[in-house]
Amino acid sequence: MTTTTTHPQPVVAHGRLGIVQGTALYVASVLGTGLLVLPGLAADAAGPASVVAVLAVIALSIPLAGAFAALAARYPDAGGVASYVRRALGATAARMTGYWFYFGVCAGAPVVGVLGAEYVAAVAGIDRAGVPILAVAIMLIPFGANLLGIRVAGWMQFVLTGLLLSVVVAVVAAALPAVEASAFTPFLPHGWGGVGIAISLFVWAFAGWEVGTHIAGEFRNPRRVIPLATAIALVLTGASYLLLQIATVGVLGEGAGADAVPLLSLAQTVLPGFGPVAVGAVAAIVSVGVMNAYLAAFGKLGASLAANGDLPRWFRRGEEAGGIPRRALSLTMAVVAVYFALMLVVDLDLEPFILVHTSNMVSIYAVGMVAALLILRRWTIGWWMALVAAVLSTGLLALAGVRLVPSLVLALIAVAVTVWRRARTARTKT
């Protein structure tokens, strides 16, 4: 494994995405299915102090998002974090990172589909046997959009995100006047340990800032658009989660923590009649939106991995800016289909797949921030953000514990590929 502190020349990109589409893609990557379940889970862990947890994770997200924005703006590359790691730490580390994202984080795709399907089924009164069919529909719609090209996917994301924010604003606006101050006492029913658990939960909600690194080449002016889109998305997502948490605790009180569908209960309380319809729309919009944003990233990453020889080169078509990586997208859906099939075997138990997703995200963040420290110019704002994010990512690794096993398995596979390549090269020379 080699290390270098040289600064590669920035790549000039000529994509078509602007601030509106870029912001929509970033918001959808972060403002995801957490809206459906996390307010209740956090309230159960920390009570009213779950609001503090949201504020803490917003603060933690700033350096991480800022560092990824600096990398994507200066070095737009379809390989995203894997490409940065390649420049800083060598081919084996890059392969690990690429495999973590492509084969590990991908486990979250069917989770998103099933979560959305469960909510839609509950609101529409559909039997649970119909959940797998709804989940397949949620996954196939954005897949088709991405096959048409990133510009189509970008405008689709703009529409979906606008609808999502409209529904959230409507529910929160109706709920805030009904907030009771008494619901916030006692403020720390489970102590600061409960706040720590709630912070860990909301880290899942705020994951997604790395998605933009894979499609940075699709922006018209990455050095201007990406930082602006990231900043706007930070404000929108942070405000959405914070206000929704305040409304959930302030309106539902102690019942917030015991409710499996807190957003549905909140909507039914403050917007009877309209509430269930709004929540069903939110579930569908969030699920399709998250899938849309991640498929764009998976497709570009798969093509980039193929271009570097980490996947069969047949999948490299569409890796260039403006290209449509249809072959890599098809491979992505094949991987998603395998995870979904396994999910059906365990009767839609989401926990194992969420753990696979989370462990790989933590690994990517940690290695990605080390790479950022090596290739970003020292003492710049982006470099300082990467330094803070690297420290915080180390803490996330410690919290992950045994959940890092899937990441370790993929890392060993990446090392095995290196060993096999070197052995093959040695045989060829002899």
Side-chain angles (χ1 to χ4, degrees), residues 166-396:
S166 297
V167 173
V168 172
V169 167
V171 174
V172 170
L176 288 179
V179 168
E180 297 286 343
S182 59
F184 291 88
T185 56
F187 190 69
L188 279 168
H190 306 299
W192 289 107
V195 175
I197 295 173
I199 289 175
S200 297
L201 291 169
F202 272 107
V203 166
W204 164 271
F206 282 85
W209 297 111
E210 77 293 338
V211 169
T213 63
H214 300 285
I215 57 173
E218 304 296 336
F219 287 89
R220 283 195 295 267
N221 185 348
R223 299 192 73 168
R224 174 178 176 272
V225 172
I226 291 177
L228 276 175
T230 301
I232 295 171
L234 267 170
V235 173
L236 290 176
T237 56
S240 296
Y241 273 114
L242 179 60
L243 293 176
L244 183 57
Q245 193 66 33
I246 292 173
T248 300
V249 173
V251 174
L252 299 182
E254 294 182 359
D259 199 333
V261 286
L263 186 58
L264 176 60
S265 297
L266 181 63
Q268 287 175 329
T269 300
V270 299
L271 294 171
F274 172 74
V277 177
V279 171
V282 166
I285 292 167
V286 168
S287 301
V288 174
V290 170
M291 283 293 299
N292 184 63
Y294 267 95
L295 280 175
F298 285 134
K300 283 295 184 180
L301 174 60
S304 177
L305 288 171
N308 285 297
D310 297 327
L311 288 177
R313 293 189 181 276
W314 188 81
F315 293 103
R316 70 179 297 175
R317 179 174 294 181
E319 186 256 351
E320 71 282 357
I324 304 175
R326 293 188 176 94
R327 294 177 178 179
L329 279 169
S330 297
L331 176 61
T332 300
M333 287 307 298
V335 175
V336 171
V338 170
Y339 278 123
F340 186 60
L342 293 173
M343 194 175 289
L344 291 176
V345 170
V346 296
D347 194 27
L348 301 182
D349 181 8
L350 303 183
E351 183 176 349
F353 303 92
I354 291 175
L355 292 177
V356 170
H357 175 97
T358 303
S359 66
N360 284 277
M361 286 303 309
V362 170
S363 301
I364 290 168
Y365 287 159
V367 175
M369 289 304 98
V370 172
L373 287 172
L374 294 172
I375 65 177
L376 289 174
R377 296 191 182 280
R378 290 187 179 182
W379 322 126
T380 61
I381 294 177
W383 186 89
W384 280 111
M385 285 190 172
L387 179 61
V388 174
V391 173
L392 297 176
S393 296
T394 301
L396 292 178

Side-chain angles (χ1 to χ4, degrees), residues 133-152:
I133 297 174
L134 290 171
V136 169
I138 287 172
M139 291 186 283
L140 286 181
I141 291 172
F143 174 60
N146 276 274
L147 285 178
L148 295 176
I150 191 65
R151 189 178 187 183
V152 174

